[in-house]
Amino acid sequence: MAQWVHMSQLIQRLPDETVNSLYPPNAFPIEVRHFLAEWIENQIWDNFVPEKVEQESQARALLDQIINMLQSIAQQNANVVDRMKLMQISRNMAVFQQQPLQFGVMVRDILREERALLNKPAQIPNPSQYQQQPSREPSFPNMQDVDVVVLKVLEVQGCRQKLHQLQEELNWERQNYEGLQGDSFDYTYFKLQSHIQQLEYNVQTFSTRIHLLQESVSCLDQCQTRLVSKLKAWRWEQHKAAIGHPFDENLNPLQTWCEQLLGVNGKLRQELMLIPDPIPELQERLGKLLQVLIQNSLVVDKQPPQVIKTQSKFSTTVRYLLGEKVAPGKPVLLKAQIINELQARNLSTVPGDNVGELINNTAILEHNSASKSTCANFRNMSIKKIKRADRKGSESVTEEKFALLFSTEITITGCDTPYRIQTISLPVVVIVHGSQDNNALATIIWDCAFSEPDRLPFVVPERVPWRLMYSTLNSKFTSEVQTQHNLDHYNQHFLAQKIFDKPDFADDFSHMMVSWAQFNKEVLPGRSFTFWQWFEGVMELTKKHLKTYWSEGLIFGFIGKQHLHLILKDRPNGTFLLRFSDSEIGGITIAYVSASENGGQKIQNIQPFTKRDLEIRSLGDRIRDISHITYLYPEYPKNEVFKKFYSGDGLNAHCQCHVLKVKVRLTTNHCCPTKRRSQAQFPAWSLSVWSWHDLPVPWVSSGYSSFLLSPKDIMFGLTGDSKLSVGLSVSGCWPCSFLLRF
C-alpha cells in the first residue's frame, strides 16, 4: 500500500486530465485503486502479457476477486452514495469477463505508470520561450486510451447480443401467450402476460445501443486525435534529432495503436450495419476517421540525407503502419519525386512541374514477418538533375530547400475503395559540389533548430534569440562529438562575442537577436569565413582527434584572448591551457605563460595544430615534446594529466633518430650578394625537439623540398616515415629559399 500512499499525495498536484487518463472512469476508476490499494499492490501484475492466452484464467480469477470485494465493500458502506457508486463500478467491470487478460494488462500498465510518475523528479515549469517545441508527449502511446475505446465496443456488442436474446425470448413468450388466450382467468395466462410486459420493457431499455454507438464513435474520434498528435510529435522529434535532440525511433507501439483503431473502426461499422434503421451521420463520421487513419499511417522511417549531392547515391525507408491490413493481391508500388518549397505548400494537388529527375525512385512495400513492419526501401536513389527556383536578393543555392514526396494508392482489407496516400521527407538541400556541403548544412541546422511544428513549408525566422542559438550549438556539438561534456558559460560568452563582434561586451547576450546572416552569410571581421564555417571546423576537429581530451575536460575550448590573459596572469611560468583557434578553421592552440625579456611574464600562443598536424602526431605527444610547458591550468602537472595520451617512451623512441649531414644550396636571388654562397657544408647533428614546421611525406621519400626559412633557429622533425626533426642555425639575408638534400 506504500505506493498508493505516495501516489495519493502526488495526485493532488496532477491535472485532472492526467488523473482521468491514469484511472479511466469507465474501465478502472480511481475508487477501485483507493478502496483496494493494499490488495492490488500485493498481487503480481507485471507478468501479464497480451500474447500469453494461458494467463486468462489467472487474470479472470483476479478480476472476479475485485468484483466480489467491491460488492462486499459497497454493502458494508453506510454512505448510500458510495454504496451505489461501488455497485455500479462492479457491474461495469463485469464487461472485462469476456477479455480478462486485457484487464490484467491494464492494471499492470497503471501500476507501472504510477511508479514512473513517482520516480520522476519534480520539475519547475520553464517560462515561455521563443519558438519552443511543443510539449513532448511520451513516445509510447497510453494504451489506456485504446482500452477505453475497446471497452466501449464490447459494451455495444454486449448490448446487441443481450437485445437479440431478449427479442428471441419475447417472440417465444408471445407465441405461448397466443395459445393461452382462450382461458383469460388462468394463472399461467396472467403470469405470462406480466413476463411479456417485462421483456418488452427490457427490449426498449436495451434499444439505447444507438446512444452507445454514438458514444463509441466519439471516443474513437478522441483516441485517434491523440494518435495523430503522437505521430506528429514523433515526426517533430525526428526533425529535431538533426541537431542532437534525443529521439526514440521505435514505431512499433504507434503501429500497434494504428492497427487497433483500424479494428475498432471496422467493428463499429459492422454494428451500424446491424441496426435496422441506418444512421448516415455516424457512417460518414466513421468513414472520415478511417480515411484520416489510413493516410496518416505512412511515415518516413529512415530519412534521406538532408544534404544531397547530385549524381550521388543515397537511401531512405518509408514505412506503412497498417501494412498487415493491406489487401492481398497486387503489390503496392511507392513512388518518390522531388518537390520544391512551393509544391510542398500545395500537397492537396498533384505536383505539376518536375523540378528534378530522380533515378531509382520506385520501391515495393514489403512485409517483414520478423520485425512485423511493412516498408519500402529506396536503396540506390540518386538526383540526376535539379531545377532551381528564381533566387531572391543574395540568396544562394545552398539556402534553397526541397523535399521528397512519397505517394501510392492502397486498398485496406474490409474497405471497398482504394485510398491515395502520401507523405514528405524532412527538408533537403541539393548541392552539386562538395565545397557547398558546409553552407548547405548550415541551412539544415537553422531549419531544424528554429522552425515551428505546424509551419508553412519551409518557413523559418530570420532572427532568433542568442539563448536558443547557443542551446542549438551546444546540442549539435555534444551529439556530433558524442560526448557528455557540454560547452560551459565561458565558451558561451566567447561564442556570443564572436558572432556579434563585441569582444569587449561583458553583459548577458541571452536576449540579443542573432540573424541568419550573422550565422552563415557574413564573414567574421578580419576573416575569410563565416561563424558557422569556423564553428563546424572546430566541431569536426574535436570529433576526429580531440574527443577524449574534450570529454575529460582537458580542453578549455572557446575563449577570447582578453579572458585568456585575465585567467593566466599571475600563474607560474609554464602554465598552459588548450584553446580552439579563433583565427583559422579547425585549429587548436596552446596558450602558455613564459618569462618576458624584462624579467616579467607574457602570454604566448603556439601556432595552431590542424587536422593534418594531428594526423601526423597526436596532441598528447606534441604537449610532451614542448619542454617549457609544465602545468595544465590551473595547476595540474602535464605528465600526470596527459600521460595516457603519450605514445612510446618519448620523442627519441618515437622518431627515427639518425646522424644526418645536410647540404644547403641557395636557389634564390633574394639574399644579399655578400652573404650568398653556392654551397655550404654543415656538420652532423642529431634529431632534436619537435617544432612548428612540417615537411610533407613526398619530401622524405624523394629527398628534396623547397621551403622558406625565417631569421631564427629552425627545427624539423621526422615522425615514423613522414617527419624530419633537425636543429638548424643559418645566418643571412632573409627570406631565402633553400634546397635541402640528405
Side-chain angles (χ1 to χ4, degrees), residues 134-154:
S135 58
R136 186 183 176 196
E137 299 185 45
S139 299
F140 291 91
N142 185 355
M143 298 312 294
Q144 295 169 18
D145 291 339
V146 184
D147 292 339
V148 172
V149 181
V150 171
L151 284 173
K152 281 289 183 184
V153 175
L154 289 174

Side-chain angles (χ1 to χ4, degrees), residues 509-527:
F509 285 94
S510 297
H511 299 288
M512 292 182 65
M513 302 295 285
V514 57
S515 68
W516 161 252
Q518 290 171 308
F519 180 64
N520 193 54
K521 210 163 179 62
E522 301 168 350
V523 296
L524 294 170
R527 308 297 182 206

Side-chain angles (χ1 to χ4, degrees), residues 234 238 247-251 299-305 314-319 375-378 381 404 406 425-426:
W234 185 91
Q238 186 187 47
F247 170 53
D248 182 4
E249 61 183 15
N250 183 15
L251 277 168
V299 295
V300 182
D301 189 6
K302 305 295 182 186
Q303 290 285 342
F314 64 91
S315 62
T316 182
T317 301
V318 180
R319 180 169 174 176
C375 299
N377 295 297
F378 298 83
M381 200 183 298
L404 297 184
F406 303 94
S425 72
L426 295 177

Side-chain angles (χ1 to χ4, degrees), residues 280-319:
E281 55 272 17
L282 285 185
Q283 292 174 339
E284 182 181 355
R285 193 174 174 189
L286 283 173
K288 289 182 178 179
L289 288 173
L290 179 64
Q291 182 177 2
V292 170
L293 179 62
I294 290 173
Q295 291 177 340
N296 278 275
S297 296
L298 187 67
V299 295
V300 182
D301 189 6
K302 305 295 182 186
Q303 290 285 342
Q306 289 193 262
V307 177
I308 303 176
K309 185 176 176 291
T310 56
Q311 311 293 337
S312 298
K313 291 181 180 179
F314 64 91
S315 62
T316 182
T317 301
V318 180
R319 180 169 174 176

Side-chain angles (χ1 to χ4, degrees), residues 499-542:
I499 200 170
F500 290 112
D501 188 25
K502 291 180 178 292
D504 300 323
F505 191 79
D507 293 336
D508 185 18
F509 285 94
S510 297
H511 299 288
M512 292 182 65
M513 302 295 285
V514 57
S515 68
W516 161 252
Q518 290 171 308
F519 180 64
N520 193 54
K521 210 163 179 62
E522 301 168 350
V523 296
L524 294 170
R527 308 297 182 206
S528 60
F529 44 81
T530 66
F531 175 86
W532 166 253
Q533 290 169 347
W534 168 76
F535 183 84
E536 197 271 342
V538 170
M539 191 166 58
E540 190 69 12
L541 180 74
T542 309

Side-chain angles (χ1 to χ4, degrees), residues 177 188-200:
Y177 177 74
T188 305
Y189 172 80
F190 286 110
K191 183 179 179 182
L192 189 57
Q193 187 180 44
S194 175
H195 189 207
I196 289 173
Q197 291 174 349
Q198 181 63 42
L199 287 174
E200 288 175 342

Side-chain angles (χ1 to χ4, degrees), residues 489-507:
H489 65 282
Y490 294 113
N491 299 152
Q492 176 186 2
H493 193 76
F494 173 68
L495 290 172
Q497 287 179 325
K498 194 167 186 70
I499 200 170
F500 290 112
D501 188 25
K502 291 180 178 292
D504 300 323
F505 191 79
D507 293 336

Side-chain angles (χ1 to χ4, degrees), residues 265-283:
N265 193 298
K267 289 177 181 178
L268 288 176
R269 284 184 286 119
Q270 289 176 357
E271 291 297 325
L272 281 175
M273 294 177 189
L274 295 173
I275 293 179
D277 299 323
I279 310 177
E281 55 272 17
L282 285 185
Q283 292 174 339

